[in-house]
Amino acid sequence: MQKTDLIEVIKKYYLGGLNNVMKYRIKDTNLVAQANSTGVFPYVEANVAGMEDAEFGVYYTDKLLSLLNVLDNEIGVGYDFKKNKITALNIKDKSMEASYMLADLTAVDEFYRAGNENKILEFERVPLPEFSVEVAIKKDWTDVLLKAKRALSDAKMVALELKGETLEFVVNYSKSQSSRIVFQVPATVETPLDLQVHNIDLFVVILTANQDYKSATLKISDIGVVLFEFTSDSYVSKYLVKALDV
């Protein structure tokens, strides 16, 4: 398999360091990776031809990425076992072999439960709300959002507000006067929606990690949750993001 393909999958959940601890399930060359971090709940499903069926945990994704960067692009991935339990990834290229120690699945589950019994690791178990507004994710407006964040580098919040048949984005939103950038995009409206405020850094890392999509949508619920969905020929990624209390 191609190392770059695996790295792209990893980056879609790692989100620049937000999700270092991860749970993987591979079945019939289909990989599902899931985690839960403060404010965002990622789910990534991708084709990983060449990897056998398995379920395992990764505790330090940053170290896994560093290890992969040492290897050539054409790699083979296998598993090391101890007492019929997967303990490590065995990754080879034509001249090197690397071993990455895996986390016990129980430890991964405990990591997500620690201090918050309501955290759920499996995306499939999360009951999705009804969505009031849907927006097609397009490069023209996502580029505006990313450039706006770079221009207003101290910005922490982005507001979403329904304006007729458009969704208005307010970068660097504040209840008081502030420097800001405002733009609107066409929206499909099902029900009314009150203004919501989100962590703009989460929007930026999600959009940056998924620039190779073929189609994508942003759905907004009136309970203060948005859902990003991206699809391509080789992967599906979804992110539930909770609004801020301001």
Side-chain angles (χ1 to χ4, degrees), residues 37-163:
S37 61
T38 303
V40 60
F41 190 2
Y43 170 94
V44 180
E45 183 176 340
N47 181 270
V48 285
M51 294 186 69
E52 297 181 358
D53 292 359
E55 190 169 1
F56 54 85
V58 169
Y59 221 85
Y60 299 104
T61 295
D62 53 346
K63 294 181 180 179
L64 176 58
L65 286 170
S66 296
L67 184 149
L68 287 169
N69 285 330
V70 175
L71 300 168
D72 291 338
N73 194 44
E74 187 66 34
I75 59 172
V77 181
Y79 310 115
D80 290 339
F81 293 86
K82 186 175 182 179
K83 296 182 179 179
N84 297 320
K85 193 173 186 178
I86 296 175
T87 57
L89 292 179
N90 188 279
I91 311 171
K92 302 178 182 179
D93 64 16
K94 61 184 179 182
S95 61
M96 288 185 288
E97 180 175 341
S99 182
Y100 176 82
M101 299 305 296
L102 296 171
D104 186 276
L105 289 173
T106 303
V108 173
D109 289 338
E110 287 299 324
F111 173 85
Y112 284 109
R113 282 196 292 265
N116 187 349
E117 62 184 8
N118 295 319
K119 282 190 173 181
I120 302 172
L121 190 59
E122 287 78 17
F123 194 98
E124 300 97 322
R125 297 185 186 179
V126 178
L128 294 178
E130 296 293 326
F131 292 102
S132 301
V133 177
E134 181 174 327
V135 172
I137 294 177
K138 301 289 186 182
K139 190 176 186 302
D140 53 359
W141 72 258
T142 58
D143 281 351
V144 171
L145 180 65
L146 296 176
K147 289 176 182 177
K149 170 57 179 173
R150 288 195 293 270
L152 300 171
S153 57
D154 292 335
K156 301 299 181 185
M157 297 185 290
V158 57
L160 309 179
E161 186 172 14
L162 196 58
K163 300 281 189 177

Side-chain angles (χ1 to χ4, degrees), residues 3 43 49 149 168 199 205 214 238-239:
K3 176 187 74 174
Y43 170 94
K149 170 57 179 173
E168 183 173 270
N199 182 335
V205 294
K214 293 191 72 173
K238 302 178 183 181
Y239 307 85

Side-chain angles (χ1 to χ4, degrees), residues 18-38:
L18 284 179
N19 295 301
N20 217 14
V21 180
M22 208 65 193
K23 188 174 184 178
Y24 286 87
R25 183 175 69 248
I26 301 171
K27 179 71 173 177
D28 299 328
T29 73
N30 189 62
L31 177 148
V32 172
Q34 301 180 100
N36 194 357
S37 61
T38 303

